[in-house]
């Protein structure tokens, strides 16, 4: 390197060393302006809860949800034991329309095992499917059989008007429509329940109820008040008439109509209703029995209902009159014809909440019925007088226990249809899910 450039090079090297020293770096940091802050990322908006969405947004959300994700599932199972000690046991006292576990050689039994699938598959269409896995056919127990399979088609946006098509309960009577998971007594009464086997039929029904009353029906059924559910203020329809899961045996449809209204009387909920149906029924007969006047017999009834919901005292009464297939009496006891019938029941109950942390519902129900049971072979004529005293413990939402003592005087379900008297002590454990 030329001697003339050496002083310049040494000066540059000395300056670089000074700049790179720790002290100089600290000084540079103090002198340098702080770097500009990075812009904060945009906040992701929190989605509004579904309840806060406007109706239009809710409908759009429902449209986006596949139909199978809108379905829900629930159910219940009833376990029974009917052989507890009683004052007057009679092993010939049976009731095949009701509890098949009555009578001799019985033990524990599953009375009902229901699984229900339901939901809205469209904003105007809902479906309901209910099989029972504890039905009895002959000597076979715990047989799966269809109870309900229907669709509700809503005719307006408020869902006040609807058509129900498929197999469902016939709108006749209050206790017939009340779910067995919600009813206090063990089985439905003979007088009203003899109108339709399994309470159900295959047909087409129309229901109407204002939006406010539909909500009232739901509240009465879901608030320990023993409601029947929403079968409309007005309901009518046509159906086959031979019974659920049975083929039609003539070309005559049955027709039914019902009007009911739940209202507030002071602070007490009360419901009053009337209903009736008409059709012609084809009876199955066995050897030694005959039919008079052709096997399309007049089958018609009218009934009145009064319900005072338990707040805390409750009362339910229903009575029906009419004509239907039946065996006669005396010399006519092997001849089936359309004959008069009548009967009903009255039930008194009292709801006690928060008794040692549980709800208790003691009840007493009396039943009277004289008439034929058309769905049974030979349509035997029944004479039933029965008193049931019981108490229901609603221990948990998922667990109920009911105990009852029954004093019965009833016609046997089996030929030669003798009159039997006896007492039965029963207990039931119900699991809701």
């Amino acid at each position: 390197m030329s001697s003339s450039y050496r002083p310049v090079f040494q000066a540059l090297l000395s300056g670089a060393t000074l700049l790179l020293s720790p002290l100089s770096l600290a000084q540079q940091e103090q002198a340098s302006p702080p770097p500009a802050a990075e812009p904060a990322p945009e906040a992701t908006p929190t989605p509004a809860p579904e309840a806060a969405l406007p109706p239009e947004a809710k409908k759009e959300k429902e449209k986006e949800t596949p139909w199978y994700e809108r379905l829900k599932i629930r159910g219940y199972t009833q376990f029974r034991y009917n052989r507890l000690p009683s004052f007057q046991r009679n092993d010939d006292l049976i009731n095949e329309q009701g509890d098949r576990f009555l009578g001799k050689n019985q033990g524990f039994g599953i009375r009902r095992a229901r699984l229900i699938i339901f939901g809205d598959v469209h904003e105007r269409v809902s479906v309901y499917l209910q099989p029972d896995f504890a039905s009895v056919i002959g000597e076979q127990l715990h047989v799966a059989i269809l109870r309900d399979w229907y669709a509700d088609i809503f005719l307006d946006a408020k869902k006040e008007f609807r058509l129900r098509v498929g197999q469902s309960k016939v709108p006749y009577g209050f206790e017939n429509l009340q779910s067995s998971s919600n009813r206090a007594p063990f089985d439905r009464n003979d007088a009203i329940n003899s109108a339709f086997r399994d309470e159900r039929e295959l047909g087409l029904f129309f229901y109407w109820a204002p939006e406010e009353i539909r909500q009232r029906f739901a509240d009465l059924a879901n608030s320990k008040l023993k409601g029947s559910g929403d079968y409309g203020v007005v309901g009518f329809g046509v159906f086959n008439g031979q019974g659920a899961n049975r083929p039609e045996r003539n070309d005559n449809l049955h027709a039914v109509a019902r009007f009911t209204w739940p209202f507030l009387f002071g602070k007490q909920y009360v419901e009053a209703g009337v209903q009736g149906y008409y059709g012609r029924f084809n009876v199955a007969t066995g050897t030694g029995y005959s039919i008079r006047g052709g096997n399309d017999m007049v089958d018609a009834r009218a009934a009145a209902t009064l319900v005072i919901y338990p707040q805390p005292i409750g009362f339910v009464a229903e009575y029906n009159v009419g004509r239907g297939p039946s065996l006669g009496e005396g010399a006519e006891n092997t001849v089936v014809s359309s004959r008069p019938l009548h009967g009903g029941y009255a039930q008194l109950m009292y709801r006690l909440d928060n008794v040692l942390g549980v709800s208790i519902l003691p009840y007493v129900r009396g039943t009277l019925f004289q008439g034929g049971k058309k769905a049974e072979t030979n349509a035997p004529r029944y004479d039933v007088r029965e008193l049931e005293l019981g108490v229901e413990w609603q221990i948990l939402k998922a667990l109920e226990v009911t105990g009852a003592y029954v004093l019965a005087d009833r016609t046997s379900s089996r030929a030669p249809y003798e009159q039997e008297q006896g007492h039965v002590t029963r207990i039931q454990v119900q699991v809701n899910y």
Side-chain angles (χ1 to χ4, degrees):
M1 179 179 295
S2 173
S3 58
S4 59
Y5 295 103
R6 185 171 294 148
V8 176
F9 178 76
Q10 290 177 343
L12 290 174
L13 184 59
S14 300
T17 302
L18 181 63
L19 288 172
L20 293 175
S21 66
L23 180 60
S24 298
L25 288 174
Q27 292 173 344
Q28 288 179 24
E29 287 180 3
Q30 294 176 1
S32 301
E38 294 184 8
E42 294 185 8
T44 304
T46 303
E50 188 173 343
L53 295 174
E56 296 78 10
K58 285 184 180 180
K59 289 181 180 180
E60 290 299 322
K61 184 177 181 62
E62 289 178 359
K63 289 179 181 179
E64 295 172 1
T65 305
W67 66 269
Y68 48 84
E69 292 185 7
R70 302 179 201 169
L71 296 179
K72 300 177 182 178
I73 187 169
R74 60 181 174 85
Y76 65 97
T77 305
Q78 295 174 341
F79 305 94
R80 288 189 184 174
Y81 186 72
N82 297 335
R83 303 291 291 179
L84 294 173
S86 62
F87 290 106
Q88 184 183 339
R89 193 170 79 180
N90 180 0
D91 287 339
D92 293 323
L93 184 70
I94 60 173
N95 179 12
E96 293 190 349
Q97 175 187 328
D99 193 341
R100 296 291 187 93
F101 297 101
L102 293 179
K104 62 182 177 181
N105 300 327
Q106 298 287 356
F108 291 101
I110 301 177
R111 178 65 177 90
R112 293 177 178 88
R114 304 289 176 86
L115 194 63
I116 304 164
I117 301 171
F118 66 102
D120 296 332
V121 296
H122 184 271
E123 61 185 18
R124 291 291 183 93
V125 180
S126 68
V127 295
Y128 190 97
L129 166 63
Q130 179 180 210
D132 183 15
F133 296 92
S135 296
V136 179
I137 299 179
E139 296 296 319
Q140 182 68 49
L141 302 179
H142 310 148
V143 178
I145 197 168
L146 181 68
R147 294 299 177 190
D148 299 277
W149 194 320
Y150 62 81
D152 277 346
I153 303 169
F154 298 99
L155 305 180
D156 65 312
K158 295 175 71 175
K159 298 186 177 183
E160 295 182 341
F161 298 85
R162 70 189 190 273
L163 292 174
R164 177 168 293 179
V165 59
Q167 182 165 293
S168 66
K169 287 185 176 179
V170 178
Y172 182 80
F174 176 85
E175 195 178 75
N176 272 10
L177 299 177
Q178 189 180 39
S179 170
S180 296
S181 65
N182 209 14
R183 187 183 62 253
F186 275 54
D187 293 295
R188 293 181 173 89
N189 71 95
D190 295 79
I192 306 297
N193 194 231
S194 57
F196 301 106
R197 187 201 301 261
D198 298 322
E199 308 87 51
R200 294 163 171 84
E201 275 284 1
L202 186 60
L204 176 66
F205 303 93
F206 169 85
Y207 294 108
W208 168 77
E211 186 176 23
E212 175 188 356
I213 302 302
R214 292 201 69 199
Q215 184 59 50
R216 183 172 298 175
F217 281 134
D219 292 342
L220 291 172
N222 299 328
S223 59
K224 300 181 182 179
L225 292 182
K226 303 298 181 183
S228 66
D230 181 5
Y231 290 86
V233 167
V234 174
F236 59 86
V238 291
F239 50 96
N240 283 341
Q242 289 297 136
N245 302 313
R246 268 81 177 177
E248 177 68 336
R249 295 175 56 153
N250 55 35
D251 291 327
N252 299 298
L253 293 177
H254 276 56
V256 66
R258 177 177 184 257
F259 173 81
T260 190
W261 187 263
F263 59 93
L264 268 174
F265 186 76
K267 295 183 179 181
Q268 183 84 42
Y269 277 111
V270 179
E271 184 174 343
V274 293
Q275 50 262 299
Y277 73 87
Y278 179 87
R280 290 185 174 271
F281 193 86
N282 191 286
V283 178
T285 57
T287 303
Y289 294 86
S290 61
I291 291 174
R292 176 187 296 158
N295 202 356
D296 279 330
M297 302 180 199
V298 171
D299 176 28
R301 299 192 189 192
T305 301
L306 174 64
V307 181
I308 301 174
Y309 289 93
Q311 298 173 287
I313 298 176
F315 177 77
V316 186
E318 295 190 271
Y319 199 85
N320 69 173
V321 297
R323 297 185 65 88
S326 173
L327 288 175
E329 298 180 274
E332 297 278 302
N333 65 354
T334 61
V335 180
V336 183
S337 181
S338 183
R339 305 178 190 274
L341 60 85
H342 69 94
Y345 72 96
Q347 175 180 313
L348 184 67
M349 50 192 161
Y350 191 88
R351 194 183 73 180
L352 296 166
D353 290 328
N354 298 319
V355 178
L356 300 177
V358 302
S359 295
I360 298 177
L361 187 89
Y363 68 89
V364 55
R365 183 184 71 178
T367 297
L368 167 70
F369 175 58
Q370 292 180 329
K373 290 195 177 182
K374 61 185 179 182
E376 297 181 10
T377 301
N378 304 322
R381 183 187 183 279
Y382 275 71
D383 188 350
V384 178
R385 292 173 176 84
E386 192 169 84
L387 182 68
E388 179 173 336
L389 303 94
V391 58
E392 176 187 88
W393 292 271
Q394 298 173 347
I395 301 172
L396 302 168
K397 185 176 181 180
L399 180 64
E400 299 175 13
V401 177
T402 303
Y405 192 84
V406 180
L407 299 84
D409 181 350
R410 62 165 50 243
T411 307
S412 173
S413 307
R414 299 168 189 162
Y417 310 116
E418 299 287 344
Q419 199 71 12
E420 302 289 348
Q421 296 84 32
H423 300 176
V424 179
T425 307
R426 302 189 281 179
I427 189 167
Q428 173 178 284
V429 175
Q430 176 174 303
V431 179
N432 305 308
Y433 40 88

